[in-house]
Amino acid sequence: MTARTTSARHRAARRPVTPLTELAHNAAVGRRTAVAAAGGALLVSTFGGAMAAQAAPVETGHAKMNSVDLNALTSQAREALANAPVVTVAADAELNVEKTAVSVVSAAENDEYQAQIAAEEAEEAAEAAAAEAAEAAASVDVPASAIGNSVISIASRYIGVPYVSGGSTPSGFDCSGFTAYVFGQLGISLPHSSSAQPGYGTVVPASEAQPGDLMWTPGHVSIYAGGNTMIDASKPGTVVDFRPIWQSNPTFVRMG
């Protein structure tokens, strides 16, 4: 009888299947557990040791900037510097600076500026005189007896001419320059002197004074216009105009 040889197949040892309750325990203590499906069975392997949870990194704006290759930029900067033109200056080179003389003239020495200031002051004075003359004329009534009088008629032509010290023309009068010019139009020659003019006529009492008579007080002459008015070149800053008589006791002199 022949002996039957029976060969037996040995199955590979299987790892024990980890129950689901143990999976939960392993997760709690930080053990790693491998899960695989084989032949319809669920295989779970557990590895000791802690496992830190890791998330896939997300590339943010700063991360993108950090990802720039700084070494490459440095190399490019070095290359640009190496290729840049080189400027050399000799050790004995000299720096020449052109100097320009600057002259400064003070306002007091500037003739053009001073002329401008003088013109402005003269204009302001003329405006002030005109305003004063207009105000004075508004407050003075020329007597009817002066109307038609030849002396007053000629004198009236120069109303508004500014007072100018030493002036004897329609561009500017002082007191005796004005009276001499007016009487000169009538053929009566008078000196340009307030103290000398009364000697060229006849003194009359104030009660007999008539428009056109010369009116004199020490230091000033004018032309009597009748009533309480006179016409004259009064003082600096004023113009020729009719004014109230301000002298307390004038002398009246009849010319011609």
Side-chain angles (χ1 to χ4, degrees):
M1 181 175 174
T2 305
R4 181 181 293 180
T5 304
T6 304
S7 58
R9 296 180 179 180
H10 297 278
R11 294 179 180 180
R14 297 178 179 177
R15 289 184 179 180
V17 177
T18 304
L20 295 177
T21 55
E22 189 175 348
L23 289 176
H25 174 72
N26 290 339
V29 298
R31 294 177 181 173
R32 293 186 297 173
T33 303
V35 181
L42 183 65
L43 301 180
V44 180
S45 295
T46 304
F47 303 91
M51 176 181 177
Q54 296 183 355
V58 178
E59 189 174 358
T60 63
H62 292 289
K64 291 180 180 179
M65 292 181 62
N66 293 333
S67 66
V68 175
D69 189 348
L70 297 180
N71 292 329
L73 292 178
T74 303
S75 298
Q76 293 176 5
R78 289 176 178 172
E79 181 179 356
L81 182 61
N83 295 331
V86 178
V87 179
T88 59
V89 179
D92 58 348
E94 295 182 357
L95 177 63
N96 295 324
V97 179
E98 184 178 352
K99 298 180 180 179
T100 302
V102 178
S103 60
V104 179
V105 179
S106 66
E109 298 175 347
N110 190 325
D111 295 337
E112 183 178 352
Y113 176 73
Q114 291 301 321
Q116 179 182 351
I117 294 298
E120 292 176 355
E121 291 178 349
E123 182 179 357
E124 291 177 358
E127 291 177 355
E132 182 179 344
E135 182 179 357
S139 61
V140 176
D141 294 327
V142 179
S145 59
I147 298 176
N149 181 279
S150 58
V151 177
I152 299 301
S153 177
I154 294 173
S156 299
R157 299 173 188 172
Y158 307 106
I159 289 178
V161 173
Y163 180 97
V164 175
S165 181
S168 59
T169 69
S171 61
F173 290 118
D174 63 9
C175 66
S176 61
F178 173 64
T179 53
Y181 189 86
V182 171
F183 283 103
Q185 301 289 313
L186 297 171
I188 301 173
S189 179
L190 297 177
H192 190 172
S193 169
S194 61
S195 61
Q197 286 183 2
Y200 285 75
T202 303
V203 175
V204 296
S207 59
E208 298 179 8
Q210 298 177 0
D213 287 343
L214 186 72
M215 193 173 72
W216 176 86
T217 52
H220 186 69
V221 290
S222 59
I223 298 174
Y224 179 57
N228 191 42
T229 63
M230 63 181 182
I231 182 171
D232 68 346
S234 180
K235 58 185 177 179
T238 65
V239 297
V240 173
D241 207 346
F242 288 97
R243 295 180 176 83
I245 296 175
W246 52 267
Q247 298 94 325
S248 60
N249 188 26
T251 297
F252 295 91
V253 180
R254 187 158 300 156
M255 298 297 175

